[in-house]
Amino acid sequence: MVTVIGAGAAGLMAAVTAAENGESVRLLDRNGFAGKKLNITGKGRCNLTNDCDRDEFIENVPRGGRFLYSAFERFPPRDVMGFFERLGLPLKVERGRRVFPVSDNARDVTNALVRRLETLGVRVERTRVTDIKPLLKTGRVIIATGGLSYPLTGSTGDGYTLAASVGHTVTPTSASLVPLLARDCAPLAGLSLKNIVLSVFDGEKRVFSEQGELLFTHEGISGPLTLSASAHMSDTPHTAYIDLKPALDKQTLDTRILRDFDTARNKTVSNALDKLLPRLMLPAVLNAAEIDGSTRVNSVTRNQRERLVDTLKAYRVDIKGFGSIEEAVITRGGVSLKEINPKTMQSKLIENLYFAGEVLDADAYTGGYNLQIAWMTGRAAGLG
Ligand SMILES: Cc1cc2nc3c(=O)[nH]c(=O)nc-3n(C[C@H](O)[C@H](O)[C@H](O)COP(=O)(O)OP(=O)(O)OC[C@H]3O[C@@H](n4cnc5c(N)ncnc54)[C@H](O)[C@@H]3O)c2cc1C
């Protein structure tokens, strides 16, 4: 008998795999149904994997990458895609080799797995497991309880307690792929910036720099770029710089500003720059460049213009820390990989025990890599 605890991505894959292998499977989830988190992935579209090779995959897994080598070899993205297509779920590959269901509906991913399980005679039973010792006497047990993020989906870290109860080490957990807390962002709350470059520095060291979309919130910054940046950051304070005009070098930007000033000779700086920047951003930029917005353009000095260009190319945001784990996409930390066999996901301490998915101390960047981890560790644990 195999008992799978958790009917998320990893648990579903583990249960299908074990049942296909002829094992008798019990699938337990505290929700009484499968895939509560899976259904909201990829903004409801589910970016279920990334059509990449092994080296690329490892590059996108900052913590736990090497441990995942053999699980990747056993179930690489191409095989994951083939698996879902055989279940009757057509897939498409988008920008950055992100893989989605053609239907753009995450529920179809869950349903494909649930249907397969039903065919194999496995149903989800509503149980919140609080003690694994009795289960370990009945056969193999696979802990696939997820991490701590989005706890309303049922992932509240129970797996860490269950693992610790039988002697496993759990490395400290924190948020990853999470909004960032930053000073002085409240006046900009709600402003979304597209096609900007966000660069993040830990002291002198640049730890992240990418182009994309960023959102200001009351507490700091969010949006796809920010979430990605957070996965590259440690707990120390960081400084972020936003290049508001990445397509223009400083010289070209200065020429553009001079042209704007030229066509608005008697206007104030604020009025003259309203085409260059979103209205909400202007006061913040002028403030950072130490220019009074009511200054007439014909009295702006060369020095002031230089400061304006510098600010537009590197608007500074002081990062205070990470947002809460509840709003994180993924949990960093978890069951220590040192105590797990990388080929089978079997515990090195307890013979009948296996782990799969986010409960493990492995996490990746955005792009479908986290679900790929869930599928391949679920597969390995299911095979045993
Ligand atoms: C908003 C959001 C969007 C995301 N989008 C993507 C994306 O597009 N692509 C991507 O690769 N990754 C994405 N992720 C990350 C991805 O969802 C996770 O990596 C993945 O769901 C982890 O799968 P899992 O099976 O390990 O855990 P989960 O999916 O969290 O499943 C764990 C299950 O265990 C159950 N459970 C917990 N404790 C117990 C217990 N004691 N007893 C019984 N059952 C229990 C829970 O109810 C839950 O159903 C996203 C995450 C979030 C929050």
Side-chain angles (χ1 to χ4, degrees):
M1 159 82 88
V2 183
T3 306
V4 180
I5 311 172
L12 285 166
M13 183 56 77
V16 168
T17 305
E20 283 181 345
N21 246 7
E23 294 196 77
S24 151
V25 176
R26 275 186 85 189
L27 176 55
L28 313 177
D29 197 291
R30 56 189 290 187
N31 293 327
F33 59 89
K36 194 164 179 192
K37 183 175 280 176
L38 190 53
N39 289 342
I40 58 163
T41 54
K43 296 198 173 122
R45 295 172 63 221
C46 186
N47 174 198
L48 76 160
T49 187
N50 191 289
D51 186 12
C52 62
D53 64 21
R54 191 185 67 181
D55 290 347
E56 241 175 298
F57 174 78
I58 303 293
E59 270 170 34
N60 282 281
V61 184
R63 286 162 290 270
R66 292 193 69 78
F67 169 85
L68 293 167
Y69 258 63
S70 60
F72 183 96
E73 293 297 345
R74 289 180 99 182
F75 204 37
R78 278 289 159 96
D79 290 6
V80 170
M81 291 164 72
F83 169 88
F84 280 104
E85 283 174 334
R86 275 194 302 282
L87 293 189
L89 185 78
L91 302 175
K92 58 180 172 179
V93 183
E94 295 192 356
R95 182 180 52 86
R97 288 196 285 278
R98 291 162 193 248
V99 180
F100 293 87
V102 168
S103 66
D104 283 328
N105 189 348
R107 282 174 190 276
D108 290 344
V109 179
T110 305
N111 290 341
L113 289 159
V114 170
R115 269 200 315 271
R116 179 70 186 132
L117 279 173
E118 280 171 2
T119 317
L120 293 160
V122 182
R123 284 185 185 277
V124 180
E125 294 173 42
R126 183 193 295 271
T127 305
R128 181 175 188 178
V129 176
T130 52
D131 186 3
I132 48 167
K133 289 178 197 133
L135 295 175
L136 286 167
K137 295 192 185 120
T138 66
R140 298 207 296 133
V141 174
I142 301 174
I143 297 184
T145 45
L148 280 164
S149 59
Y150 278 60
L152 285 177
T153 61
S155 316
T156 51
D158 286 8
Y160 307 135
T161 319
L162 296 174
S165 76
V166 290
H168 270 278
T169 311
V170 179
T171 63
T173 52
S174 62
S176 192
L177 302 180
V178 67
L180 296 170
L181 308 176
R183 278 176 235 291
D184 306 326
C185 289
L188 299 171
L191 175 66
S192 163
L193 299 174
K194 294 204 171 67
N195 289 322
I196 55 94
V197 170
L198 176 70
S199 302
V200 179
F201 288 82
D202 183 355
E204 297 285 293
K205 190 175 166 220
R206 192 174 73 179
V207 294
F208 178 84
S209 185
E210 267 180 37
Q211 184 155 358
E213 191 179 338
L214 178 141
L215 177 74
F216 284 99
T217 67
H218 284 283
E219 290 81 31
I221 54 174
S222 185
L225 266 186
T226 307
L227 300 193
S228 296
S230 72
H232 296 252
M233 296 165 60
S234 57
D235 267 344
T236 53
H238 288 67
T239 311
Y241 293 95
I242 302 172
D243 183 346
L244 293 154
K245 295 286 164 194
L248 308 178
D249 61 21
K250 283 190 180 180
Q251 179 74 55
T252 321
L253 185 55
D254 191 41
T255 312
R256 156 83 200 263
I257 291 170
L258 277 173
R259 209 172 57 226
D260 284 357
F261 280 4
D262 222 34
T263 55
R265 279 186 174 282
N266 293 316
K267 287 193 179 168
T268 62
V269 178
S270 289
N271 284 331
L273 292 178
D274 62 357
K275 282 196 204 73
L276 191 69
L277 278 177
R279 191 170 285 279
L280 209 54
M281 192 76 213
L282 247 178
V285 166
L286 290 176
N287 189 32
E290 296 171 30
I291 300 171
D292 182 344
S294 63
T295 314
R296 301 266 148 203
V297 290
N298 47 16
S299 51
V300 173
T301 65
R302 190 195 177 90
N303 257 344
Q304 284 177 315
R305 230 177 52 236
E306 258 173 37
R307 285 205 303 272
L308 178 60
V309 168
D310 286 347
T311 308
L312 289 166
K313 292 299 287 175
Y315 178 79
R316 181 179 169 136
V317 180
D318 289 316
I319 309 292
K320 288 190 293 180
F322 295 111
S324 73
I325 198 147
E326 282 81 11
E327 52 182 344
V329 169
I330 208 90
T331 306
R332 191 183 289 195
V335 177
S336 171
L337 304 177
K338 291 194 187 119
E339 297 162 358
I340 297 170
N341 177 330
K343 190 165 175 230
T344 58
M345 300 298 137
Q346 185 177 20
S347 160
K348 289 182 183 169
L349 313 181
I350 310 284
E351 205 195 338
N352 271 350
L353 188 60
Y354 295 73
F355 295 93
E358 201 177 327
V359 72
L360 294 164
D361 180 12
D363 65 271
Y365 301 144
T366 55
Y369 305 104
N370 282 298
L371 279 172
Q372 174 62 29
I373 293 176
W375 307 133
M376 65 199 208
T377 55
R379 183 73 160 186
L383 289 170

